Amino acid sequence: MPTNIESIRPQSWQGIDDIVIVGGGLAGLFCALKLAPRPVTVLAAAPIGHGASSAWAQGGIAAAMSPGDTVEKHLADTLAAGAGIVDEKIARLMISEGPDRIRDLLSYGVPFDRGLEGQLLLSREAAHSERRIVRVKGDQAGKAIMEALIAAVRNTPSIRVMEGYVVEELVVEGRFVSGVIARPDAGKSKTRVAFPARAVVMCSGGIGHLYQVTTNPAEARGAGLGMAAKAGAMIADPEFVQFHPTAIDIGRDPAPLATEALRGDGAILVNAAGHRFMTDLHPDAELAPRDVVARGVFAEVKAGRGAFLDCTKAVGAHFRERFPTVYASCMEAGIDPVTQPIPVVPAVHYHMGGVLVDADGKTTVDGLWAAGEVTSTGVHGANRLASNSLLEAVVFAARIAENIKGMLPESTLYEWPKNAGENDELVTLEDSPQLAELRRRMSAEAGVIRSGEGLKTLIRDIARLERENTRIRFSNMVAAAKLIATAAYRREESRGGHFRSDCPYTVESWRHRTYMTLKDAERTAAEIAG
């Protein structure tokens, strides 16, 4: 039951939470470092580096840094992948600032791969026209970037990291976000803690664990998207979910990833009969846009023929040193990728939609900024270009830091609102039957292939699950699921990561982004419920 705010205050931070960053992934840590020496509190649900998708990113960061590459070429590839709805102005801004952000990461100690003469080694990935992916040891970019940033954060006195704090609510006064309420002990505590703030930066990650099969860590459950939507923020493009075509199909949750770079280096996709099926579907075969490859793999799996990534000729004996992460995952499952094809399946990998932000990372709610996968900047359109996600995270995290520095003078006094409160319910989402059913239903009806009737059924199921489980953390997830499902239902066409079997073609009148609030989604859900 809610109680007076005074019951929270003794457990709250006694200093000034001028800026609170929600999330300890790449966007959150980079933003904190860029804000230094201004005091910042980072709230992370898991130990930093362990609950973030950034740490698992294998490919690297896309940046136009080679002699033959240009901003225009990188932009053209981004626009092509985005299937007609990329915000070109914002994408150009991101790509233009990419090289400077790479240099920032180098200054923080990120050991990007270099050649004998010290130049950065750049690789190519699907749908890129040039070699522009900055990598670390083949498939360890995310891990190495996060390790370097964590070390830099630990050595920055102005950054206070609070690990094991699961943020559950944004505190809203009118149209202004004035803080957050979090639950300590990895979300298992019965007591909640208030963090007042003059600026909140949401860097909470994506929505992968709204689905049954995903490559994302368990913390990526759409909570940040749901909280922002409940606070009144405008949401953009929630229907566009990217499925990685080659998650390793060995029954693990989350599913380990067979990096895009393997196909970039010549690995091919075959079915159980050894047929290379992608050559039937697209001129670029395995290097086609991810949504095309994901549907190709999905079709083979659904038909019972299976799908396998054959790296035996393209990588072969060099697998262990070139792709150690993938090699380890395969060997743990009894698969030797040097001599055996790897079983693969599409898995939710990235959400192109999210909280709408402008060029400075500002949301439509005052006091709330956002960066990383929780956002929709417009740079990905309907389908993210490989390795543009880490680029987006660092570019907009840096822009947020500059914007906050310019807008908000440092505070010396803050009055916490009187009506916040405490909630003593113990949340055990991991054991929730409603969560398990939500993930199954999202995969079945809002997955690689969707239909109007399936989405209507899903929307009714979401409403039922919401009635069955009213706990706040589940309600955040339900809000995110509702936005994805209703937007997918309303978009009666197929574009990028959104494919409707009953509307399998692009429709010119739908060549625009989606903008919706949670109230819009609830109105659509109510109409469907009848």
Side-chain angles (χ1 to χ4, degrees):
M1 294 290 292
T3 58
N4 189 282
I5 187 61
E6 295 303 321
S7 65
I8 294 180
R9 194 179 295 278
Q11 299 168 63
S12 298
W13 169 234
Q14 298 302 304
I16 300 298
D17 275 316
D18 192 36
I19 302 166
V20 168
I21 295 175
V22 180
L26 175 59
L29 298 188
F30 197 82
C31 187
L33 287 165
K34 281 290 186 180
L35 281 162
R38 187 164 180 159
V40 174
T41 296
V42 176
L43 300 177
I48 52 175
H50 293 278
S53 296
S54 348
W56 295 8
Q58 293 180 3
I61 301 183
M65 300 186 75
S66 69
D69 203 2
T70 64
V71 168
E72 295 303 324
K73 288 182 180 179
H74 190 172
L75 178 62
D77 291 344
T78 299
L79 293 173
I85 61 168
V86 171
D87 185 322
E88 184 172 349
K89 181 179 177 182
I90 299 294
R92 183 185 297 276
L93 177 152
M94 176 189 77
I95 291 163
S96 299
E97 296 183 6
D100 285 340
R101 300 293 76 81
I102 296 295
R103 286 185 275 272
D104 285 340
L105 290 169
L106 286 166
S107 74
Y108 292 133
V110 177
F112 289 122
D113 292 346
R114 294 180 182 270
L116 294 176
E117 297 177 1
Q119 79 280 13
L120 290 172
L121 288 179
L122 303 171
S123 63
R124 185 184 171 203
E125 289 184 350
H128 286 273
S129 59
E130 298 285 342
R131 298 180 73 87
R132 65 169 67 99
I133 314 304
V134 186
R135 288 158 63 177
V136 180
K137 295 180 183 175
D139 63 1
Q140 296 187 18
K143 179 174 180 288
I145 291 167
M146 288 300 292
E147 286 175 351
L149 291 189
I150 289 166
V153 163
R154 301 282 193 210
N155 290 322
T156 304
S158 61
I159 301 173
R160 184 177 65 119
V161 178
M162 305 287 285
E163 295 168 300
Y165 279 74
V166 176
V167 176
E168 295 183 338
E169 282 185 88
L170 295 173
V171 179
V172 183
E173 296 182 275
R175 292 290 299 168
F176 194 88
V177 169
S178 57
V180 305
I181 297 177
R183 195 182 297 272
D185 301 328
K188 296 176 182 176
S189 173
K190 289 189 176 183
T191 303
R192 303 201 303 167
V193 182
F195 292 86
R198 295 169 72 240
V200 173
V201 184
M202 184 66 74
C203 302
S204 55
I207 51 86
H209 269 258
L210 291 179
Y211 287 79
Q212 192 169 27
V213 183
T214 179
T215 63
N216 293 178
E219 289 75 13
R221 287 175 166 159
L225 173 59
M227 283 185 279
K230 286 160 73 174
M234 182 67 71
I235 308 302
D237 304 332
E239 67 268 42
F240 295 111
V241 179
Q242 186 175 78
F243 292 79
H244 198 289
T246 56
I248 305 173
D249 189 16
I250 51 177
R252 279 173 48 187
D253 182 21
L257 181 65
T259 175
E260 191 103 46
L262 286 162
R263 283 176 284 137
D265 282 1
I268 61 171
L269 285 162
V270 298
N271 60 24
H275 175 61
R276 188 181 175 188
F277 55 86
M278 281 308 303
T279 57
D280 303 332
L281 304 176
H282 196 279
D284 292 332
E286 286 81 11
L287 295 181
R290 278 182 172 172
D291 62 298
V292 177
V293 182
R295 287 196 295 276
V297 172
F298 181 79
E300 295 300 308
V301 172
K302 192 170 184 182
R305 294 185 290 267
F308 301 84
L309 185 66
D310 189 346
C311 313
T312 55
K313 292 184 176 66
V315 183
H318 303 289
F319 208 117
R320 185 172 187 173
E321 59 266 26
R322 285 173 62 188
F323 299 99
T325 305
V326 180
Y327 182 82
S329 294
C330 290
M331 293 300 287
E332 284 171 16
I335 300 162
D336 183 356
V338 174
T339 59
Q340 295 174 277
I342 304 166
V344 292
V345 66
V348 173
H349 189 58
Y350 191 84
H351 192 203
M352 280 75 74
V355 184
L356 176 66
V357 294
D358 66 12
D360 294 317
K362 292 167 63 180
T363 73
T364 58
V365 180
D366 291 337
L368 180 64
W369 286 256
E373 192 175 348
V374 73
T375 68
S376 180
T377 61
V379 302
H380 303 307
N383 194 27
R384 175 182 68 103
L385 182 66
S387 292
N388 266 357
S389 51
L390 298 186
L391 174 65
E392 180 194 42
V394 292
V395 166
F396 288 92
R399 293 184 69 84
I400 288 170
E402 286 303 309
N403 189 249
I404 289 175
K405 285 178 180 177
M407 285 186 64
L408 297 179
E410 290 201 31
S411 174
T412 56
L413 181 64
Y414 188 85
E415 231 8 86
W416 179 245
K418 301 296 182 186
N419 63 343
E422 180 175 321
N423 183 317
D424 63 357
E425 68 180 14
L426 179 60
V427 180
T428 53
L429 269 178
E430 292 74 14
D431 301 324
S432 164
Q434 290 83 16
L435 173 56
E437 184 175 353
L438 177 65
R439 295 183 71 191
R440 285 194 299 272
R441 299 300 298 138
M442 288 290 287
S443 284
E445 307 298 353
V448 178
I449 297 177
R450 305 157 173 187
S451 71
E453 284 305 310
L455 289 163
K456 284 169 73 172
T457 301
L458 171 63
I459 290 164
R460 294 188 189 106
D461 287 341
I462 290 171
R464 172 177 55 80
L465 294 170
E466 186 175 25
R467 291 191 297 271
E468 291 176 5
N469 187 338
T470 58
R471 288 173 169 173
I472 190 165
R473 271 159 58 192
F474 188 68
S475 76
N476 291 334
M477 297 174 63
V478 161
K482 196 182 298 181
L483 286 157
I484 294 166
T486 55
Y489 174 74
R490 285 162 58 166
R491 183 173 284 272
E492 295 181 328
E493 66 154 359
S494 293
R495 185 182 297 271
H498 169 69
F499 187 87
R500 287 271 298 260
S501 59
D502 53 343
C503 310
Y505 305 107
T506 57
V507 177
E508 187 59 28
S509 61
W510 274 106
R511 190 187 173 106
H512 59 78
R513 298 178 68 195
T514 297
Y515 301 101
M516 66 192 305
T517 63
L518 184 56
K519 288 182 179 178
D520 294 331
E522 287 171 342
R523 275 193 291 270
T524 298
E527 290 167 7
I528 289 169

